[in-house]
Amino acid sequence: MHFDTPLACRSGAVLNAYDLMFETYGKLNAARSNAVLVCHALNASHHVAGYYADAPDQVGWWDNMIGPGKPVDTDKFFVIGVNNVGGCFGSTGPASIDPRSGKPYGSGFPVVTVDDWVEAQARLADRLGIECFAAVMGGSLGAMQALQWAINYPARIANAIVVAGAPKLSAQNIAFNEVARQAITTDPDFHGGNFYAHDVVPRRGLRLARMIGHITYLSDDAMMEKFGRSLRTGAINFHFDVDFEVESYLRYQGDKFSEYFDANTYLLITRALDYFDPAAACGGDLAKALAPSKARFLVVSFRSDWRFAPARSREIVKALLDNRADVSYAEINAPHGHDAFLLDDARYHALVRAYFENVARDVGAMNTRGAAA
């Protein structure tokens, strides 16, 4: 969908026009009251669930959560996935052509924030005729967007589902992001972000950035269970190439990532993560920042997640309780680390299913009242 209304970014930069790539699943009801916005995390996209007829292997990144009969049931809900501004999956981003120069934006693309994404998503909702979402949900960076929705548009979101989230990044998390960015920007093929003109990709930097990130997404127990100290050939070879299975796995993930993700988008998204801190405008008072919200909340954390530890989710819960908000909290003893929000876990999925069954009942009751009126 194309937008000609300028998007004034928090940085002070302005995007005069932009495109948003999105997908929808299920049907919007007559009252337009059953819409669910799913916000993506760092390297995901608008392709939330299902697959394309000509690409059966490209399954949506949250396919185990969203679809007919799944926890977020598309027989009941109209689900929307959006590739955010600055992305590299169809929405306007650094690889898009800047109409002022006729060349890719490259390093000249505006630094974007979670606030900017929420504003763009709200404009998409306007175009689709959706005045209020039954729910806005996301994990990790997507959870931050759900929080920002509850703050910025309290009348337009009935439920916020915040999974494996945090109210802001810790210094350690910012440090991991900076190391990943340095891996990219110091790659000789980066060319100051304008590598498109040189017909190259900073693959080495992207590979390293992905490898660093992937380590933080998994718990120590999960890595030990999956790889242990297994050797690829069954013996130590006394060299600096791949010896251990975990090394092979990280290289594979890095190689795959460098084939499809844009380096400038990686810089933008990790910076948006760094800058997210809604309490900063309220003197560090998270309860005050969340005070405008009228939504009901489901907050979910995973005990083995050391990147966005459960203590960070409990900060959100406490702030909501300080406001006497309607909030449910679950801390799940899953072994997978931060990636647990993407994986199959019977307790986690049962929790989300039960919550959305309540949302569906609320939508049905609201529609009944509306028809009676």
Side-chain angles (χ1 to χ4, degrees):
M1 189 173 286
H2 182 73
F3 295 82
D4 285 319
T5 304
L7 180 66
C9 298
R10 223 181 114 198
S11 66
V14 177
L15 270 177
N16 289 318
Y18 57 95
D19 296 326
L20 289 179
M21 183 68 77
F22 70 102
E23 284 183 3
T24 67
Y25 313 81
K27 294 182 179 180
L28 188 62
N29 64 19
R32 298 178 181 270
S33 60
N34 68 329
V36 175
L37 175 65
V38 175
C39 304
H40 69 74
L42 196 156
N43 65 313
S45 70
H46 56 284
H47 184 42
V48 174
Y51 59 90
Y52 308 125
D54 59 349
D57 293 334
Q58 294 182 20
V59 179
W61 59 269
W62 224 353
D63 185 71
N64 61 2
M65 180 68 75
I66 295 162
K70 295 179 182 179
V72 184
D73 191 344
T74 51
D75 288 334
K76 300 175 182 176
F77 295 103
F78 178 67
V79 175
I80 304 168
V82 188
N83 182 214
N84 288 323
V85 169
C88 54
F89 297 106
S91 293
T92 298
S96 304
I97 299 300
D98 183 347
R100 298 169 299 181
S101 66
K103 299 176 182 178
Y105 282 98
S107 59
F109 196 85
V111 173
V112 288
T113 66
V114 171
D115 262 311
D116 302 329
W117 291 337
V118 168
E119 173 61 25
Q121 292 162 2
R123 294 181 183 187
L124 177 65
D126 290 341
R127 287 277 192 93
L128 296 174
I130 298 167
E131 294 182 4
C132 180
F133 283 108
V136 177
M137 71 180 299
S140 190
L141 179 55
M144 293 175 170
Q145 294 167 63
L147 276 177
Q148 198 69 59
W149 258 97
I151 295 168
N152 289 11
Y153 291 101
R156 300 193 65 174
I157 167 176
N159 292 271
I161 291 81
V162 177
V163 185
K168 62 184 176 185
L169 290 195
S170 66
Q172 184 188 55
N173 270 306
I174 294 171
F176 279 123
N177 286 344
E178 173 58 10
V179 173
R181 287 192 294 267
Q182 284 294 311
I184 290 170
T185 57
T186 58
D187 187 318
D189 286 334
F190 184 63
H191 295 287
N194 297 309
F195 50 87
Y196 316 100
H198 298 267
D199 198 27
V200 294
V201 172
R203 295 190 193 282
R204 283 166 290 183
L206 277 167
R207 288 174 70 237
L208 285 172
R210 181 58 173 169
M211 290 167 74
I212 293 163
H214 210 75
I215 292 168
T216 71
Y217 303 149
L218 301 174
S219 69
D220 182 41
D221 287 345
M223 292 185 81
M224 202 64 192
E225 181 180 346
K226 189 169 186 177
F227 306 107
R229 291 180 53 83
S230 298
L231 296 163
R232 290 207 74 194
T233 62
I236 292 174
N237 291 303
F238 299 99
H239 60 194
F240 295 103
D241 202 349
V242 173
D243 251 351
F244 294 93
E245 289 289 358
V246 68
E247 295 173 319
S248 175
Y249 173 77
L250 288 174
R251 292 192 188 193
Y252 169 75
Q253 291 293 335
D255 287 339
K256 185 170 69 170
F257 186 71
S258 70
E259 293 293 327
Y260 71 84
F261 209 80
D262 181 82
N264 284 313
T265 290
Y266 195 94
L267 302 184
L268 288 171
I269 294 181
T270 55
R271 219 28 164 172
L273 267 166
D274 294 348
Y275 287 157
F276 180 77
D277 184 7
C282 300
D285 188 335
L286 184 60
K288 188 175 180 180
L290 286 167
S293 172
K294 299 176 182 177
R296 291 182 296 274
F297 280 79
L298 172 63
V299 180
V300 183
S301 69
F302 302 92
R303 288 184 188 170
S304 60
D305 182 357
W306 59 274
R307 180 111 199 223
F308 285 8
R312 308 311 310 281
S313 289
R314 291 197 293 269
E315 290 177 43
I316 297 169
V317 172
K318 182 184 182 304
L320 291 167
L321 290 175
D322 286 347
N323 291 329
R324 299 190 177 184
D326 185 338
V327 54
S328 299
Y329 174 61
E331 188 173 304
I332 296 173
N333 190 21
H336 311 102
H338 188 58
D339 264 358
F341 84 91
L342 295 170
L343 303 177
D344 288 317
D345 183 285
R347 297 156 299 174
Y348 166 43
H349 281 201
L351 170 71
V352 175
R353 181 186 299 277
Y355 192 89
F356 270 92
E357 285 174 355
N358 287 335
V359 175
R361 280 195 289 270
D362 289 343
V363 168
M366 183 173 60
N367 293 347
T368 300
R369 288 195 300 270

